[in-house]
């Protein structure tokens, strides 16, 4: 059973995979394509080249500041951008899930990272200009297709492509197999089942994403992305991937 979504659908699939109780490890996998944001598993964000907890010593300030790491953003890690309680609205399925695991975030993180999930991103999904900013006279103009730009979103990156890269790096930091950090910082014991792939020369287009060789392979585990010179390109094998392939758009 494959649960897949693109853009807003990708946002839903990532969060559903994180929280759902209805998951059978040997039958399910999720495909998350070109989402605008992710639910982070820790409060750390990538700011000025370092993974840190942002300074939130001020009022809640959701805005479009491109330098979001330097503005107060008190709600940046509340649901839907993170796991902190007290977001803008009550989410029954989040509350139910946390209650069932006794509000143990470690249990939730371990369970999520053990669920097979593929993150797809188009290499050209790097636009951050809204319709209201449209200026056809600008040579480098491109339409963002509804990129969300609150400060909580901006703390995840400036474009969908950047947010994809940073989110996947945040997941890798939680594993003991892909980092050299000590166990006290990463107390999770699990098999890392999350993988990422870039679809070259595709922007924010669900049809091109899912009909690409990478998309077909992500959905159906067959097609033309397995390359003989890249041992780690078969992303759904039972052993976790431990190294990044040489070809940028192969699965990692």
């Amino acid at each position: 059973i494959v649960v897949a979504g693109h853009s807003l659908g990708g946002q839903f699939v990532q969060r559903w995979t994180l929280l759902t109780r209805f998951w059978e490890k040997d039958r399910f996998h999720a495909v998350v394509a070109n989402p605008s944001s992710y639910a982070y598993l820790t409060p750390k964000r990538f700011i000025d080249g370092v993974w840190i907890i942002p300074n939130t010593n001020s009022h809640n300030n959701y805005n479009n500041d491109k330098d979001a790491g330097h503005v107060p953003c008190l709600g940046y890690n509340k649901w839907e951008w993170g796991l902190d309680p007290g977001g803008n609205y009550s989410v029954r399925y989040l509350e139910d899930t946390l209650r069932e695991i006794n509000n143990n975030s470690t249990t939730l993180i371990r369970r999520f990272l053990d669920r097979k999930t593929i993150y797809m991103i188009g290499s050209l999904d790097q636009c951050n200009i809204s319709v209201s900013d449209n200026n056809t006279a600008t040579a480098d103009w491109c339409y963002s297709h509804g990129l969300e730009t609150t400060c909580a979103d901006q703390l995840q990156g400036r474009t969908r492509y950047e947010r994809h890269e940073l989110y996947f790096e945040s997941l890798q930091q939680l594993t003991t197999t892909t980092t050299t950090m000590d166990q006290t910082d990463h107390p999770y014991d699990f098999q890392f089942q999350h993988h990422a792939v870039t679809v070259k020369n595709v922007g924010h287009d669900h049809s091109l994403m899912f009909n690409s060789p990478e998309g077909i392979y992500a959905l159906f585990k067959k097609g033309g992305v397995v390359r003989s010179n890249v041992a780690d390109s078969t992303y759904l094998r039972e052993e976790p991937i431990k190294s990044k392939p040489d070809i940028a758009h192969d699965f990692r």
Side-chain angles (χ1 to χ4, degrees), residues 4-35:
H6 177 268
S7 194
L8 182 59
Q11 292 175 220
F12 166 80
V13 170
Q14 188 260 329
R15 291 161 174 86
W16 179 85
T17 304
L18 171 63
L19 296 180
T20 186
R21 293 168 289 171
F22 303 104
W23 188 274
E24 296 182 38
K25 184 174 180 178
D26 295 330
R27 297 184 62 210
F28 280 63
H29 79 268
V31 179
V32 178
N34 290 347

Side-chain angles (χ1 to χ4, degrees), residues 79-107:
W79 187 262
E80 65 207 61
W81 302 278
L83 297 178
D84 290 352
N88 294 330
Y89 46 84
S90 176
V91 182
R92 179 68 178 271
Y93 58 84
L94 172 64
E95 296 168 353
D96 288 348
T97 297
L98 293 176
R99 183 170 56 253
E100 288 171 0
I101 60 174
N102 298 316
N103 291 306
N104 189 324
S105 60
T106 300
T107 298

Side-chain angles (χ1 to χ4, degrees), residues 198-232:
T198 299
V199 182
K200 281 190 173 182
N201 302 316
V202 173
H204 197 70
D205 188 299
H206 66 279
S207 181
L208 293 177
M209 289 292 292
F210 288 136
N211 282 285
S212 68
E214 293 84 0
I216 292 171
Y217 193 76
L219 293 170
F220 305 111
K221 296 192 290 183
K222 59 185 177 181
V225 301
V226 179
R227 295 173 173 84
S228 60
N229 62 333
V230 182
D232 285 334

Side-chain angles (χ1 to χ4, degrees), residues 56-91:
T56 58
N57 294 326
S58 186
H59 61 284
N60 198 345
N61 182 18
Y62 291 95
N63 59 37
N64 294 331
D65 195 316
K66 294 182 180 180
D67 197 17
H70 299 286
V71 300
C73 193
L74 189 60
Y76 82 97
N77 199 52
K78 293 179 180 178
W79 187 262
E80 65 207 61
W81 302 278
L83 297 178
D84 290 352
N88 294 330
Y89 46 84
S90 176
V91 182

